[in-house]
Amino acid sequence: MTPQRQILEQQQQQQLQMQRVRNSGFLSFSESPIKDENDEVSRSALAAFRSKEEEIERRKTEVKEKVQNQLGRVEEASKRLAEILDELEALTDPMRKEVGIVRKKIDIVNRELKPLGLGCQKKEREYREVLEAFNEKSKEKAQLVAKLTELVSESERSRMKKLEELSKNVETLR
């Protein structure tokens, strides 16, 4: 309650006391019974007004307290959320740095891999060409070996035949 309001209530209470004193039988000549009825009506209206004012003030105070409590809870929740956000940012920062470092390393390795891959493809192509040439020469060699074997066999046969003929001739001479 504000100090002004307290002063106002004290003044109203003093007026009520004065009216009670007047109503207790000490009426002045200027006062009449009609005025007393009006005073009574105004007193009851004033008392009703005061009680309603007090009820309004009480409810207003209750609502203020509820709002203050709610604001306190909201501030607490806000602080907790800010702390959680800070923790999340602290969590993601090291990971971002590590991820960035790994990505840079991957990019460097990729750059190194490109020429190696091209060299490998070139060597594979050369290998296939050399392998094909090797296989062709191997086939040619196999054919030549087969021909040589055939020629050697035929030569041996023919020499054996000649030897047999010569041997027969020698035997016939004896």
Side-chain angles (χ1 to χ4, degrees):
M1 216 184 256
T2 64
Q4 293 173 345
R5 190 143 186 80
Q6 288 175 344
I7 292 171
L8 235 173
E9 285 185 17
Q10 287 174 354
Q11 287 174 352
Q12 289 173 351
Q13 287 175 356
Q14 287 173 356
Q15 287 175 357
L16 278 175
Q17 287 175 351
M18 293 285 284
Q19 287 176 358
R20 284 185 198 141
V21 169
R22 286 183 196 151
N23 290 339
S24 63
F26 299 109
L27 294 175
S28 64
F29 295 108
S30 61
E31 294 178 355
S32 66
I34 296 171
K35 193 173 183 187
D36 286 339
E37 288 176 19
N38 285 341
D39 284 344
E40 188 67 37
V41 170
S42 66
R43 266 188 264 140
S44 66
L46 186 60
F49 176 75
R50 281 187 188 149
S51 69
K52 286 187 180 187
E53 276 292 315
E54 288 173 0
E55 178 68 21
I56 289 170
E57 281 297 318
R58 187 180 54 76
R59 286 187 181 177
K60 188 176 169 183
T61 305
E62 287 175 4
V63 170
K64 276 184 181 179
E65 288 174 0
K66 286 180 183 178
V67 168
Q68 289 298 327
N69 289 338
Q70 189 69 17
L71 281 174
R73 284 189 293 250
V74 167
E75 286 176 6
E76 228 177 90
S78 177
K79 286 178 185 176
R80 275 188 267 141
L81 288 174
E83 289 172 2
I84 291 170
L85 184 62
D86 289 343
E87 288 178 20
L88 279 174
E89 287 175 358
L91 264 179
T92 55
D93 276 345
M95 292 172 69
R96 284 184 188 165
K97 289 177 185 176
E98 290 176 16
V99 167
I101 291 170
V102 171
R103 283 184 177 163
K104 284 179 183 177
K105 287 181 180 179
I106 289 171
D107 290 341
I108 291 170
V109 170
N110 273 340
R111 278 188 237 123
E112 293 172 355
L113 272 177
K114 282 182 183 179
L116 291 173
L118 293 174
C120 185
Q121 288 175 353
K122 184 180 176 184
K123 300 278 184 188
E124 284 178 348
R125 208 175 315 115
E126 289 175 2
Y127 171 76
R128 277 187 249 121
E129 290 171 359
V130 169
L131 183 62
E132 191 177 310
F134 175 79
N135 288 338
E136 285 178 22
K137 291 295 178 183
S138 292
K139 283 180 188 176
E140 186 179 336
K141 178 185 171 188
Q143 289 172 351
L144 289 172
V145 167
K147 192 170 188 172
L148 176 66
T149 307
E150 189 181 315
L151 288 174
V152 167
S153 301
E154 200 175 309
S155 171
E156 283 179 4
R157 265 188 306 217
S158 106
R159 281 182 11 200
M160 285 300 276
K161 218 181 199 181
K162 276 271 189 194
L163 271 174
E164 282 178 26
E165 281 177 21
L166 285 175
S167 194
K168 278 184 189 175
N169 282 340
V170 170
E171 275 186 38
T172 56
L173 286 175
R174 275 193 194 186

